[in-house]
Amino acid sequence: MICEGFYLPGLAPVVYCDKSLNDHKNCKTDLKIFVNRLNSVETVVPYEYHKFDFCVVDEDNSPTENLGQVVFGERIRPSPYKMTFKQQITCQSVCKKEYAHGDKEKVSKLKFLKNGIALNYNHHWIIDNMPITWCYDVENGQKYCSTGFPIGCLVDKDGKQKDACVISNKYSEKNTYYVFNHIDVTITYHSGTNTDWGQEFGWDGGRIVAAKLEPRR
């Protein structure tokens, strides 16, 4: 079989390698996750990531959007979520948020977050220039994959599960907002073994071919 391919300028494949090869000039070890603006099918108003009270980092080193991204309203920012190639992380805390009843600023932020959940605002995360997808079960044993995932979900006062709450009976308590503040990320990569580009890395190097996540409370 003969195959032909091409690559888009600025989107050449990136080779990642094991931390033991950290000083190698032809590969990277850190997997950087970027966050984009949040949007909702319930409203036309998008919000930048930092508008919500999420874990954030200094945005001075944000990547520069190209013309197409600017036209479509993309707002790509660095995130506090850190990963290393071929290093499995079981559980890692990013930050902690507390909301006291007497703190007006905190109460206002919590109210804004709850409103975002009620309107089903969705995150959009990016790694290695590709979206991190969320796949979940739908009817007839099928799976649906989306390039965004919700902040959380709502069960109304009548016990009706809204939006993402329908995917699990764990989200069923009446008049309750659930925040998806735990994210499991799975990275799939193509090993450099038996490839021209991976001769100097072998099993210690690879190129990312997919990234999926599972949000939960």
Side-chain angles (χ1 to χ4, degrees), residues 27-122:
C27 68
K28 298 180 179 180
T29 58
D30 294 331
L31 302 174
K32 295 182 179 180
I33 294 178
F34 293 91
V35 293
N36 205 341
R37 63 172 186 167
L38 288 85
N39 60 6
S40 167
V41 296
E42 305 289 338
T43 175
V44 296
V45 181
Y47 289 106
E48 286 207 41
Y49 183 82
H50 62 248
K51 182 66 175 178
F52 292 92
D53 195 25
F54 300 142
C55 304
V56 296
V57 293
D58 186 359
E59 297 183 351
D60 289 342
N61 295 321
S62 298
T64 302
E65 293 92 354
N66 59 41
L67 179 59
Q69 290 172 323
V70 172
V71 170
F72 282 100
E74 305 290 296
R75 295 296 182 268
I76 301 173
R77 302 290 181 257
S79 81
Y81 310 106
K82 307 298 181 184
M83 302 179 70
T84 302
F85 186 72
K86 293 192 70 176
Q87 180 177 326
Q88 182 168 331
I89 301 174
T90 302
C91 184
Q92 181 172 299
S93 177
V94 178
C95 71
K96 184 178 180 180
K97 301 287 184 178
E98 295 182 352
Y99 301 94
H101 287 292
D103 190 325
K104 291 183 178 180
E105 182 181 358
K106 290 292 186 180
V107 170
S108 177
K109 289 182 178 181
L110 180 59
K111 183 178 179 180
F112 188 80
L113 179 63
K114 291 170 69 176
N115 186 61
I117 293 174
L119 291 174
N120 196 31
Y121 269 87
N122 274 236

